[in-house]
Amino acid sequence: MEYLPCKIVLDILSRLPVTSLLQFKLVCKAWHNLAQDPLLVSMHFYHAPENDPCLIIHCDHPSRNQLYSLELSDPENDQRVNKLCVPMFPEFDIKGSCKGLLCLCDSSTRDSLYAYNPFTRNYVELPKSIDETLYDLSLVFGFGFNQKTKEYKVVKVVYWRIRTRYPLQSEVQVFTLGKPSWRSLGKIPHHLNAQGPSQVFVNGRLHWTTWPRRYRIGCLLISFDLEDEQFREVPKPDSGGLERLNFDVVELGGCLAGVLHQNYGQLEIWVMKEYDVKESWIKEFNIAIHVPRGLEHADRNSAEPFRDSKFYRKSSFVRVLGLLKNGEVLLEYKCRALVTYDQKDGTFKDLTFPGMPYWFEAVVHEGSFNWIDTLTG
């Protein structure tokens, strides 16, 4: 390496998965200093989407929440589940992942939010914003990155009722990382669905589905543009299940996609090939029934200690996580098993890794060495 120009070395290193760079730092002092180079940090930040996704594994058992990282880019490495250092609060939910940072919410209070980099281990607590005098409070979150201004933004939609018979009230609040306080954007005319990992970030916009309304079949697809901070309805295809039924949203290969859950865990996936163009929706995947080996042979008695896990109570049998570089779809089954699906031959592959927790929720994450204090001014 000493014979190569520094810029070439940094370019090579910037294309490695973040977990490989963490190991690289430990070789010697010179390599540690090289891994800390601000130019490498910046280059790695923009090369991260070229790799297979890193997964952040969230486990809430036995006594406090724990995070693990799982690198999918190196098929030869069998020890890919790594325990991460987490902030000092025992109960939290992951509300979003974007460009190297996680948005965490202290689930014991619901009003404490944190921006956290699981690989540099630094985090910042966001200012409080919730009016706790409101009744029937429910929250919907979003977390994204404005490419034009290089700013991270947290979006929070607060819903409440003053009395049971009164209509639902709402307020949209936005926080920009590095700013001193939240801003209010007023009301939103939609009731966004907050079940599960509710937000998807595609094309500079956050996306949610809405709750179905009385006298209307199906739900709407709503976006929030982080640049102009406007909500818009995203067009759905005229034909197919997205118009008739409720569906989940997910990002697949940089495109917005809708996932229909059919009988016994079957999936139908529609992909919007050209963003915001209604005619570009195509039905790209039909995924058949599959039961991972880990679920087939599960011992009921062994599951008893985990009955208190919030992941145990998840309703969806299968969840689409994302798309791998080889075109396979990455799936999570019943918060217990990871599986890949190959559309070419219709086959499934159960993924097993030493050290995986029993109950978990996987979040697709782009690993980064960005320090939050360099992003917050």
Side-chain angles (χ1 to χ4, degrees):
M1 283 180 53
E2 61 268 23
Y3 301 109
L4 292 175
C6 183
K7 285 190 176 180
I8 293 179
V9 173
L10 293 178
D11 184 62
I12 295 171
L13 295 176
S14 70
R15 300 172 191 276
L16 294 175
V18 67
T19 49
S20 297
L21 282 177
L22 286 172
Q23 296 172 354
F24 174 87
K25 289 173 61 176
L26 301 176
V27 173
C28 63
K29 185 175 181 180
W31 287 22
H32 180 274
N33 293 336
L34 188 60
Q36 300 291 99
D37 191 304
L39 180 58
L40 175 60
V41 173
S42 177
M43 293 171 69
H44 186 270
F45 182 79
Y46 290 102
H47 282 309
E50 299 173 5
N51 295 317
D52 270 325
C54 168
L55 294 183
I56 297 296
I57 306 296
H58 181 196
C59 172
D60 69 343
H61 185 86
S63 59
R64 57 172 290 141
N65 285 211
Q66 180 60 54
L67 296 179
Y68 302 83
S69 67
L70 175 58
E71 189 62 65
L72 298 173
S73 296
D74 183 6
E76 302 301 323
N77 185 359
D78 291 329
Q79 303 295 326
R80 284 172 283 179
V81 179
N82 300 302
K83 193 172 183 178
L84 297 171
C85 179
V86 296
M88 295 303 294
F89 46 94
E91 299 290 335
F92 59 84
D93 295 312
I94 299 178
K95 294 301 182 182
S97 167
C98 188
K99 291 292 184 180
L101 300 186
L102 297 173
C103 180
L104 304 181
C105 177
D106 186 339
S107 53
S108 63
T109 63
R110 295 206 309 164
D111 65 343
S112 295
L113 287 171
Y114 300 81
Y116 168 59
N117 187 327
F119 294 106
T120 63
R121 302 182 181 182
N122 71 319
Y123 65 95
V124 61
E125 184 176 0
L126 278 56
K128 303 287 192 300
S129 71
I130 297 176
D131 182 354
E132 295 187 1
T133 63
L134 302 177
Y135 297 95
D136 298 333
L137 195 66
S138 65
L139 303 173
V140 177
F141 290 93
F143 182 54
F145 182 74
N146 186 342
Q147 187 67 40
K148 184 175 181 179
T149 62
K150 313 301 182 189
E151 294 175 321
Y152 289 87
K153 291 186 178 182
V154 180
V155 178
K156 179 164 53 180
V157 184
V158 186
Y159 294 102
W160 75 94
R161 295 183 191 275
I162 299 175
R163 295 288 186 273
T164 304
R165 65 179 181 274
Y166 284 76
L168 191 70
Q169 305 295 312
S170 66
E171 183 183 14
V172 179
Q173 303 173 356
V174 177
F175 182 80
T176 302
L177 220 60
K179 302 299 182 182
S181 60
W182 292 77
R183 294 176 289 111
S184 175
L185 301 185
K187 298 180 179 180
I188 178 176
H190 309 288
H191 190 185
L192 304 180
N193 190 341
Q195 296 297 312
S198 57
Q199 58 99 41
V200 173
F201 185 64
V202 175
N203 204 54
R205 300 183 187 182
L206 293 163
H207 299 81
W208 304 264
T209 59
T210 63
W211 285 101
R213 289 183 180 177
R214 189 182 299 177
Y215 311 121
R216 187 185 71 198
I217 299 175
C219 55
L220 302 178
L221 183 53
I222 302 298
S223 73
F224 178 80
D225 193 318
L226 291 184
E227 187 172 333
D228 64 17
E229 298 187 344
Q230 296 294 314
F231 287 94
R232 296 179 176 88
E233 184 178 344
V234 179
K236 299 186 299 182
D238 288 329
S239 60
L242 298 191
E243 191 62 32
R244 296 179 287 104
L245 303 171
N246 302 329
F247 58 93
D248 295 335
V249 285
V250 67
E251 182 265 331
L252 287 181
C255 296
L256 187 65
V259 180
L260 283 166
H261 295 264
Q262 300 179 325
N263 293 335
Y264 309 108
Q266 297 180 80
L267 298 178
E268 183 178 294
I269 304 179
W270 288 71
V271 179
M272 181 184 267
K273 290 295 187 177
E274 186 176 350
Y275 186 78
D276 218 20
V277 177
K278 184 176 184 177
E279 294 73 22
S280 72
W281 282 101
I282 64 169
K283 185 169 68 172
E284 187 155 350
F285 299 96
N286 273 309
I287 300 180
I289 301 169
H290 177 69
V291 179
R293 288 190 303 273
L295 298 187
E296 283 181 339
H297 305 300
D299 180 359
R300 282 186 174 272
N301 293 328
S302 67
E304 289 299 331
F306 300 88
R307 297 277 180 177
D308 291 333
S309 169
K310 57 191 170 188
F311 303 134
Y312 178 82
R313 296 185 291 273
K314 293 284 184 178
S315 58
S316 294
F317 179 73
V318 57
R319 186 164 67 94
V320 177
L321 297 180
L323 200 65
L324 302 182
K325 288 172 62 178
N326 61 10
E328 295 179 355
V329 181
L330 183 62
L331 306 167
E332 176 192 287
Y333 282 80
K334 206 58 181 174
C335 297
R336 282 284 315 283
L338 295 175
V339 174
T340 57
Y341 171 76
D342 189 344
Q343 183 177 244
K344 297 174 186 175
D345 53 13
T347 58
F348 296 86
K349 180 182 178 182
D350 296 349
L351 304 180
T352 58
F353 306 98
M356 279 290 287
Y358 196 92
W359 295 107
F360 63 85
E361 184 173 70
V363 176
V364 174
H365 183 71
E366 290 180 10
S368 167
F369 279 125
N370 268 326
W371 282 79
I372 293 175
D373 52 9
T374 67
L375 303 168
T376 58

